[in-house]
Tab-separated table of all heavy atoms in Angstrom:
chain	number	residue	atom	x	y	z
A	339	VAL	N	13.020	12.334	-13.632
A	339	VAL	CA	12.272	11.074	-13.710
A	339	VAL	C	12.436	10.307	-12.403
A	339	VAL	O	11.466	9.813	-11.826
A	339	VAL	CB	12.733	10.223	-14.915
A	339	VAL	CG1	12.059	8.859	-14.903
A	339	VAL	CG2	12.449	10.952	-16.219
A	340	PHE	N	13.674	10.230	-11.889
A	340	PHE	CA	13.924	9.505	-10.648
A	340	PHE	C	13.214	10.174	-9.474
A	340	PHE	O	12.663	9.505	-8.603
A	340	PHE	CB	15.418	9.404	-10.362
A	340	PHE	CG	16.197	8.628	-11.383
A	340	PHE	CD1	17.538	8.889	-11.580
A	340	PHE	CD2	15.599	7.646	-12.152
A	340	PHE	CE1	18.273	8.174	-12.517
A	340	PHE	CE2	16.321	6.924	-13.094
A	340	PHE	CZ	17.663	7.190	-13.275
A	341	ARG	N	13.209	11.508	-9.457
A	341	ARG	CA	12.544	12.239	-8.372
A	341	ARG	C	11.042	11.938	-8.386
A	341	ARG	O	10.450	11.670	-7.339
A	341	ARG	CB	12.795	13.741	-8.509
A	341	ARG	CG	12.271	14.563	-7.349
A	341	ARG	CD	12.620	16.034	-7.501
A	341	ARG	NE	14.046	16.271	-7.592
A	341	ARG	CZ	14.883	16.357	-6.565
A	341	ARG	NH1	14.412	16.211	-5.342
A	341	ARG	NH2	16.161	16.581	-6.740
A	342	LEU	N	10.410	11.955	-9.557
A	342	LEU	CA	8.989	11.637	-9.660
A	342	LEU	C	8.729	10.200	-9.221
A	342	LEU	O	7.783	9.930	-8.481
A	342	LEU	CB	8.485	11.855	-11.098
A	342	LEU	CG	7.011	11.543	-11.354
A	342	LEU	CD1	6.094	12.436	-10.506
A	342	LEU	CD2	6.687	11.709	-12.836
A	343	LEU	N	9.567	9.291	-9.635
A	343	LEU	CA	9.410	7.886	-9.249
A	343	LEU	C	9.543	7.721	-7.731
A	343	LEU	O	8.739	7.034	-7.099
A	343	LEU	CB	10.432	7.023	-9.980
A	343	LEU	CG	10.298	5.510	-9.832
A	343	LEU	CD1	8.944	5.018	-10.310
A	343	LEU	CD2	11.416	4.810	-10.604
A	344	LEU	N	10.524	8.381	-7.140
A	344	LEU	CA	10.692	8.299	-5.687
A	344	LEU	C	9.512	8.926	-4.952
A	344	LEU	O	9.093	8.426	-3.899
A	344	LEU	CB	12.004	8.959	-5.263
A	344	LEU	CG	13.265	8.184	-5.637
A	344	LEU	CD1	14.506	9.028	-5.396
A	344	LEU	CD2	13.337	6.867	-4.875
A	345	MET	N	8.956	9.992	-5.509
A	345	MET	CA	7.772	10.592	-4.901
A	345	MET	C	6.612	9.606	-4.936
A	345	MET	O	5.854	9.485	-3.977
A	345	MET	CB	7.403	11.901	-5.610
A	345	MET	CG	8.340	13.030	-5.265
A	345	MET	SD	8.123	14.575	-6.190
A	345	MET	CE	6.436	14.624	-6.650
A	346	ARG	N	6.458	8.885	-6.041
A	346	ARG	CA	5.395	7.877	-6.140
A	346	ARG	C	5.606	6.765	-5.114
A	346	ARG	O	4.648	6.315	-4.489
A	346	ARG	CB	5.326	7.288	-7.554
A	346	ARG	CG	4.863	8.252	-8.605
A	346	ARG	CD	3.438	8.738	-8.372
A	346	ARG	NE	2.516	7.641	-8.530
A	346	ARG	CZ	1.519	7.362	-7.701
A	346	ARG	NH1	1.296	8.102	-6.661
A	346	ARG	NH2	0.736	6.343	-7.916
A	347	PHE	N	6.862	6.320	-4.950
A	347	PHE	CA	7.123	5.289	-3.946
A	347	PHE	C	6.784	5.809	-2.546
A	347	PHE	O	6.211	5.080	-1.736
A	347	PHE	CB	8.576	4.815	-4.001
A	347	PHE	CG	8.877	3.908	-5.162
A	347	PHE	CD1	9.931	4.185	-6.012
A	347	PHE	CD2	8.120	2.773	-5.402
A	347	PHE	CE1	10.214	3.352	-7.090
A	347	PHE	CE2	8.388	1.929	-6.469
A	347	PHE	CZ	9.449	2.221	-7.314
A	348	SER	N	7.114	7.055	-2.258
A	348	SER	CA	6.785	7.641	-0.955
A	348	SER	C	5.280	7.738	-0.764
A	348	SER	O	4.754	7.436	0.312
A	348	SER	CB	7.406	9.036	-0.819
A	348	SER	OG	8.798	8.951	-0.788
A	349	GLN	N	4.590	8.175	-1.806
A	349	GLN	CA	3.143	8.315	-1.715
A	349	GLN	C	2.473	6.964	-1.482
A	349	GLN	O	1.564	6.844	-0.665
A	349	GLN	CB	2.594	8.962	-2.985
A	349	GLN	CG	2.986	10.414	-3.104
A	349	GLN	CD	2.873	10.930	-4.533
A	349	GLN	OE1	2.582	10.189	-5.466
A	349	GLN	NE2	3.123	12.218	-4.695
A	350	VAL	N	2.917	5.949	-2.208
A	350	VAL	CA	2.296	4.635	-2.048
A	350	VAL	C	2.653	4.048	-0.676
A	350	VAL	O	1.824	3.395	-0.058
A	350	VAL	CB	2.636	3.687	-3.226
A	350	VAL	CG1	3.997	3.071	-3.091
A	350	VAL	CG2	1.583	2.611	-3.369
A	351	ALA	N	3.841	4.319	-0.169
A	351	ALA	CA	4.201	3.850	1.176
A	351	ALA	C	3.299	4.516	2.217
A	351	ALA	O	2.822	3.848	3.149
A	351	ALA	CB	5.666	4.144	1.473
A	352	GLN	N	3.053	5.807	2.047
A	352	GLN	CA	2.154	6.512	2.963
A	352	GLN	C	0.751	5.930	2.874
A	352	GLN	O	0.078	5.733	3.880
A	352	GLN	CB	2.139	8.012	2.653
A	352	GLN	CG	1.140	8.808	3.468
A	352	GLN	CD	1.351	8.718	4.965
A	352	GLN	OE1	2.456	8.539	5.442
A	352	GLN	NE2	0.273	8.829	5.733
A	353	ARG	N	0.297	5.648	1.651
A	353	ARG	CA	-1.030	5.049	1.477
A	353	ARG	C	-1.109	3.691	2.144
A	353	ARG	O	-2.093	3.372	2.804
A	353	ARG	CB	-1.362	4.886	-0.008
A	353	ARG	CG	-2.067	6.038	-0.676
A	353	ARG	CD	-3.474	6.260	-0.151
A	353	ARG	NE	-4.372	5.149	-0.369
A	353	ARG	CZ	-4.940	4.827	-1.508
A	353	ARG	NH1	-4.725	5.557	-2.576
A	353	ARG	NH2	-5.741	3.801	-1.595
A	354	LEU	N	-0.085	2.862	1.982
A	354	LEU	CA	-0.092	1.540	2.608
A	354	LEU	C	-0.180	1.663	4.127
A	354	LEU	O	-0.936	0.931	4.773
A	354	LEU	CB	1.148	0.744	2.204
A	354	LEU	CG	1.173	0.253	0.767
A	354	LEU	CD1	2.571	-0.249	0.404
A	354	LEU	CD2	0.136	-0.838	0.546
A	355	TYR	N	0.593	2.577	4.686
A	355	TYR	CA	0.573	2.804	6.126
A	355	TYR	C	-0.809	3.301	6.570
A	355	TYR	O	-1.400	2.792	7.526
A	355	TYR	CB	1.658	3.810	6.514
A	355	TYR	CG	1.635	4.165	7.966
A	355	TYR	CD1	2.076	3.267	8.925
A	355	TYR	CD2	1.163	5.405	8.389
A	355	TYR	CE1	2.048	3.586	10.283
A	355	TYR	CE2	1.129	5.733	9.727
A	355	TYR	CZ	1.571	4.823	10.667
A	355	TYR	OH	1.535	5.143	11.998
A	356	ARG	N	-1.344	4.273	5.846
A	356	ARG	CA	-2.654	4.835	6.178
A	356	ARG	C	-3.752	3.782	5.989
A	356	ARG	O	-4.685	3.700	6.783
A	356	ARG	CB	-2.931	6.058	5.298
A	356	ARG	CG	-4.247	6.737	5.581
A	356	ARG	CD	-4.194	7.511	6.895
A	356	ARG	NE	-5.462	8.216	7.059
A	356	ARG	CZ	-6.262	8.069	8.096
A	356	ARG	NH1	-5.914	7.269	9.094
A	356	ARG	NH2	-7.382	8.736	8.185
A	357	ASN	N	-3.630	2.957	4.944
A	357	ASN	CA	-4.614	1.896	4.723
A	357	ASN	C	-4.673	0.940	5.909
A	357	ASN	O	-5.752	0.487	6.286
A	357	ASN	CB	-4.313	1.126	3.441
A	357	ASN	CG	-4.635	1.920	2.193
A	357	ASN	OD1	-5.127	3.051	2.258
A	357	ASN	ND2	-4.352	1.334	1.049
A	358	GLN	N	-3.493	0.627	6.489
A	358	GLN	CA	-3.474	-0.240	7.676
A	358	GLN	C	-4.281	0.393	8.803
A	358	GLN	O	-5.064	-0.278	9.478
A	358	GLN	CB	-2.030	-0.479	8.152
A	358	GLN	CG	-1.223	-1.378	7.276
A	358	GLN	CD	0.229	-1.476	7.759
A	358	GLN	OE1	0.658	-0.775	8.675
A	358	GLN	NE2	0.987	-2.353	7.123
A	359	GLN	N	-4.073	1.693	9.026
A	359	GLN	CA	-4.805	2.396	10.076
A	359	GLN	C	-6.310	2.372	9.818
A	359	GLN	O	-7.103	2.126	10.731
A	359	GLN	CB	-4.341	3.851	10.165
A	359	GLN	CG	-2.938	4.028	10.671
A	359	GLN	CD	-2.543	5.499	10.657
A	359	GLN	OE1	-2.871	6.228	9.729
A	359	GLN	NE2	-1.846	5.915	11.705
A	360	ILE	N	-6.703	2.632	8.576
A	360	ILE	CA	-8.130	2.682	8.232
A	360	ILE	C	-8.762	1.300	8.400
A	360	ILE	O	-9.848	1.170	8.963
A	360	ILE	CB	-8.326	3.228	6.805
A	360	ILE	CG1	-7.954	4.717	6.772
A	360	ILE	CG2	-9.754	3.014	6.328
A	360	ILE	CD1	-7.898	5.315	5.386
A	361	ARG	N	-8.087	0.259	7.927
A	361	ARG	CA	-8.632	-1.101	8.055
A	361	ARG	C	-8.807	-1.484	9.531
A	361	ARG	O	-9.797	-2.098	9.909
A	361	ARG	CB	-7.746	-2.102	7.341
A	361	ARG	CG	-7.877	-2.015	5.841
A	361	ARG	CD	-7.124	-3.119	5.134
A	361	ARG	NE	-6.998	-2.852	3.735
A	361	ARG	CZ	-7.986	-2.854	2.854
A	361	ARG	NH1	-9.207	-3.118	3.251
A	361	ARG	NH2	-7.783	-2.589	1.590
A	362	GLU	N	-7.827	-1.118	10.363
A	362	GLU	CA	-7.941	-1.399	11.790
A	362	GLU	C	-9.140	-0.666	12.387
A	362	GLU	O	-9.869	-1.224	13.210
A	362	GLU	CB	-6.655	-1.002	12.516
A	362	GLU	CG	-5.500	-1.929	12.240
A	362	GLU	CD	-4.170	-1.409	12.792
A	362	GLU	OE1	-4.170	-0.425	13.570
A	362	GLU	OE2	-3.133	-1.996	12.429
A	363	SER	N	-9.365	0.580	11.977
A	363	SER	CA	-10.501	1.353	12.477
A	363	SER	C	-11.815	0.706	12.067
A	363	SER	O	-12.730	0.570	12.881
A	363	SER	CB	-10.449	2.791	11.946
A	363	SER	OG	-9.304	3.449	12.430
A	364	TYR	N	-11.917	0.307	10.792
A	364	TYR	CA	-13.166	-0.280	10.301
A	364	TYR	C	-13.397	-1.693	10.817
A	364	TYR	O	-14.502	-2.218	10.688
A	364	TYR	CB	-13.245	-0.229	8.777
A	364	TYR	CG	-13.780	1.097	8.279
A	364	TYR	CD1	-12.933	2.076	7.797
A	364	TYR	CD2	-15.140	1.375	8.335
A	364	TYR	CE1	-13.423	3.296	7.367
A	364	TYR	CE2	-15.652	2.586	7.910
A	364	TYR	CZ	-14.783	3.553	7.428
A	364	TYR	OH	-15.277	4.764	7.016
A	365	ALA	N	-12.420	-2.302	11.424
A	365	ALA	CA	-12.624	-3.615	12.057
A	365	ALA	C	-13.477	-3.474	13.315
A	365	ALA	O	-14.117	-4.424	13.752
A	365	ALA	CB	-11.282	-4.260	12.395
A	366	ASP	N	-13.509	-2.275	13.877
A	366	ASP	CA	-14.320	-1.987	15.057
A	366	ASP	C	-15.752	-1.650	14.608
A	366	ASP	O	-15.962	-0.676	13.873
A	366	ASP	CB	-13.704	-0.812	15.811
A	366	ASP	CG	-14.523	-0.368	17.004
A	366	ASP	OD1	-15.516	-1.043	17.349
A	366	ASP	OD2	-14.177	0.678	17.587
A	367	GLU	N	-16.712	-2.434	15.033
A	367	GLU	CA	-18.111	-2.264	14.608
A	367	GLU	C	-18.666	-0.896	14.988
A	367	GLU	O	-19.412	-0.279	14.222
A	367	GLU	CB	-18.979	-3.392	15.204
A	367	GLU	CG	-20.360	-3.455	14.629
A	367	GLU	CD	-20.379	-3.689	13.112
A	367	GLU	OE1	-19.548	-4.465	12.614
A	367	GLU	OE2	-21.223	-3.077	12.436
A	368	THR	N	-18.299	-0.388	16.152
A	368	THR	CA	-18.776	0.931	16.570
A	368	THR	C	-18.254	2.012	15.629
A	368	THR	O	-18.997	2.893	15.204
A	368	THR	CB	-18.335	1.234	18.020
A	368	THR	OG1	-18.831	0.201	18.865
A	368	THR	CG2	-18.837	2.580	18.484
A	369	PHE	N	-16.981	1.925	15.291
A	369	PHE	CA	-16.401	2.891	14.355
A	369	PHE	C	-17.117	2.797	13.002
A	369	PHE	O	-17.449	3.807	12.388
A	369	PHE	CB	-14.903	2.633	14.171
A	369	PHE	CG	-14.232	3.631	13.277
A	369	PHE	CD1	-13.687	4.790	13.802
A	369	PHE	CD2	-14.151	3.422	11.904
A	369	PHE	CE1	-13.079	5.724	12.971
A	369	PHE	CE2	-13.544	4.342	11.072
A	369	PHE	CZ	-13.010	5.498	11.613
A	370	ARG	N	-17.347	1.577	12.547
A	370	ARG	CA	-17.990	1.357	11.244
A	370	ARG	C	-19.391	1.983	11.214
A	370	ARG	O	-19.776	2.592	10.225
A	370	ARG	CB	-18.071	-0.138	10.948
A	370	ARG	CG	-18.578	-0.459	9.550
A	370	ARG	CD	-18.656	-1.948	9.318
A	370	ARG	NE	-17.399	-2.566	9.004
A	370	ARG	CZ	-16.879	-2.641	7.781
A	370	ARG	NH1	-17.521	-2.140	6.769
A	370	ARG	NH2	-15.737	-3.228	7.581
A	371	ARG	N	-20.143	1.849	12.305
A	371	ARG	CA	-21.481	2.451	12.356
A	371	ARG	C	-21.400	3.974	12.332
A	371	ARG	O	-22.228	4.629	11.716
A	371	ARG	CB	-22.222	1.984	13.608
A	371	ARG	CG	-22.916	0.649	13.431
A	371	ARG	CD	-23.931	0.383	14.547
A	371	ARG	NE	-23.431	0.595	15.896
A	371	ARG	CZ	-22.777	-0.313	16.612
A	371	ARG	NH1	-22.527	-1.507	16.112
A	371	ARG	NH2	-22.364	-0.040	17.829
Side-chain angles (χ1 to χ4, degrees):
V339 174
F340 297 154
R341 186 177 301 277
L342 179 61
L343 188 59
L344 288 170
M345 286 173 28
R346 292 297 294 134
F347 285 127
S348 294
Q349 290 160 355
V350 80
Q352 175 59 29
R353 270 293 298 284
L354 288 168
Y355 176 73
R356 181 73 176 123
N357 287 358
Q358 288 176 353
Q359 292 177 320
I360 291 171
R361 286 187 193 291
E362 288 171 11
S363 296
Y364 275 101
D366 176 7
E367 191 60 38
T368 303
F369 183 90
R370 187 181 280 274
R371 276 195 311 274

